Amino acid sequence: MSLGSHLQELKKKHASLSEKVEQAQRSPGIDDLAVRELKKEKLRLKEEIARLNN
């Protein structure tokens, strides 16, 4: 897998997690821990994307 395609895949996963976080936050009774874990994963992906771009 080339670096470009790997970055594209990471960006897709990041966008997907963004949508999941937004949906979870709009959902009543959602587990705060679950939202926090989604946000941690989203941040991890963002950091990896930034690292690979440098």
Side-chain angles (χ1 to χ4, degrees):
M1 178 184 283
S2 73
L3 179 60
S5 61
H6 184 62
L7 279 170
Q8 286 297 93
E9 190 63 32
L10 290 174
K11 288 177 182 181
K12 285 181 191 176
K13 288 180 182 179
H14 184 268
S16 175
L17 279 173
S18 288
E19 183 61 32
K20 286 181 183 178
V21 167
E22 287 179 28
Q23 287 177 356
Q25 289 177 327
R26 289 190 300 254
S27 179
I30 190 68
D31 183 16
D32 286 340
L33 182 59
V35 172
R36 201 169 332 153
E37 290 301 317
L38 288 171
K39 286 182 176 182
K40 281 183 186 179
E41 180 65 15
K42 184 179 162 193
L43 179 60
R44 187 190 67 74
L45 286 172
K46 181 179 178 183
E47 289 171 345
E48 185 167 350
I49 290 167
R51 182 181 62 80
L52 291 173
N53 275 327
N54 290 330

